[in-house]
Amino acid sequence: MSQEKLGALVFVSGGYIGQLETAVRVPQLDLSKRIDEALSTGGVLERLHSLLGFTRFSDYFEHASDHEARALTISEYAGQIVPGVLQTPEYARALFLDAGTIWTEEQIVANVASRMERGQRITAPDGPELWFILDEAVLRRVIGSRQIMAHQLRHLAEMARLRRMVLQVVTFEAGAHALSGLLCLMTFDDAPPLAYSESAYAGQLLDDPQMLAKCHRAYDLTRATALSARASLAFIQSIAEGYESGKHGSAANSMA
């Protein structure tokens, strides 16, 4: 069976199948199941997937994490919460506690540790070039406590100052823009670009050229409406000061 024919049966491109064959990319669990069905393997690929241990992250994110770890550049938009790779341990823990899912203490500790490990790898000096656009709602939504938020925003500001990372904020005053939810654009040295989009309890990797072009255009349009990197840094610091002083909102609103 050709790569194109198999790809059509499992709803990916033929080029993507070729990247799986050459181990450039790791198949996500649902794709492994679809290929098993298409090739009548009796579940061989699904069992191999489990044996290889690709289970540290949520089912809908685990297949994106491998690509993220190998990316040359990562450009991400977040509309609700701070991106995982930029979270502090306290912020991440508060998210797990407030997620509406019943986690044991051991699960929360393991989940936070995995997120911190991922963040350290991606934000290391030799990691990928990073560009983040945050909606103002990310900064205003209190996760855990005002103290946790102040620490988280100080962390964002420090990373923006010290690392090879561009950080921008889309303020409420910018009005409607082209993105919502989460969108991550990735480029690679040895593979075509990818996009990863995520909504509640679902995520999707995108490699279709036409869809990628739409994602990049939406990201560029949103970037054009955002504050500059310097103004964004001042904006984040102002909101952090508001959390610390108990006047959350007043000082920051004057800068929008």
Side-chain angles (χ1 to χ4, degrees):
M1 187 181 296
S2 69
Q3 294 174 346
E4 289 72 20
K5 184 175 181 179
L6 178 57
L9 289 174
V10 298
F11 312 111
V12 299
S13 68
Y16 196 94
I17 295 296
Q19 291 163 27
L20 301 181
E21 291 180 333
T22 56
V24 170
R25 288 181 173 157
V26 176
Q28 57 268 35
L29 180 58
D30 61 334
L31 178 57
S32 297
K33 292 178 179 178
R34 294 200 300 272
I35 296 176
D36 276 332
E37 183 177 354
L39 300 180
S40 301
T41 66
V44 170
L45 295 179
E46 180 182 354
R47 291 193 295 273
L48 283 174
H49 189 282
S50 300
L51 288 172
L52 290 171
F54 302 122
T55 56
R56 291 191 305 150
F57 306 103
S58 301
D59 291 342
Y60 56 85
F61 177 74
E62 60 170 304
H63 52 287
S65 65
D66 173 68
H67 304 301
E68 180 188 70
R70 298 188 300 102
L72 284 180
T73 67
I74 295 176
S75 301
E76 184 168 331
Y77 167 82
Q80 299 295 326
I81 61 174
V82 173
V85 296
L86 302 181
Q87 292 174 9
T88 64
E90 297 82 6
Y91 184 96
R93 178 178 174 82
L95 280 175
F96 286 116
L97 287 172
D98 296 341
T101 303
I102 300 176
W103 300 95
T104 67
E105 178 62 22
E106 291 76 13
Q107 287 174 320
I108 292 175
V109 170
N111 288 338
V112 172
S114 292
R115 186 161 295 182
M116 295 305 103
E117 177 187 352
R118 174 177 155 237
Q120 290 171 4
R121 181 178 67 247
I122 299 302
T123 61
D126 59 347
E129 293 183 6
L130 301 174
W131 193 308
F132 291 95
I133 303 175
L134 308 182
D135 192 275
E136 185 177 343
V138 173
L139 313 177
R140 301 286 187 188
R141 179 170 289 104
V142 177
I143 304 297
S145 69
R146 298 168 68 88
Q147 181 180 7
I148 287 174
M149 288 302 301
H151 184 208
Q152 175 64 73
L153 297 194
R154 293 295 186 190
H155 177 67
L156 289 176
E158 188 71 6
M159 294 190 70
R161 282 195 298 265
L162 296 181
R163 203 199 169 277
R164 184 182 49 166
M165 179 177 80
V166 178
L167 181 61
Q168 290 182 273
V169 175
V170 179
T171 67
F172 292 150
E173 287 194 357
H177 52 83
L179 290 174
S180 61
L182 181 148
L183 176 68
C184 180
L185 307 173
M186 295 173 278
T187 64
F188 307 89
D189 179 46
D190 58 352
L194 276 177
Y196 173 74
S197 64
E198 185 176 297
S199 57
Y201 307 110
Q204 183 180 20
L205 274 174
L206 306 169
D207 68 343
D208 178 74
Q210 291 184 340
M211 183 60 68
L212 285 174
K214 292 179 180 179
C215 290
H216 279 275
R217 176 171 172 76
Y219 193 88
D220 288 341
L221 289 171
T222 302
R223 178 163 49 194
T225 67
L227 298 176
S228 69
R230 179 176 296 182
S232 295
L233 179 58
F235 189 77
I236 292 170
Q237 291 174 321
S238 178
I239 298 179
E241 290 169 2
Y243 282 124
E244 292 166 342
S245 67
K247 299 179 180 179
H248 170 44
S250 60
N253 281 336
S254 67
M255 299 182 60

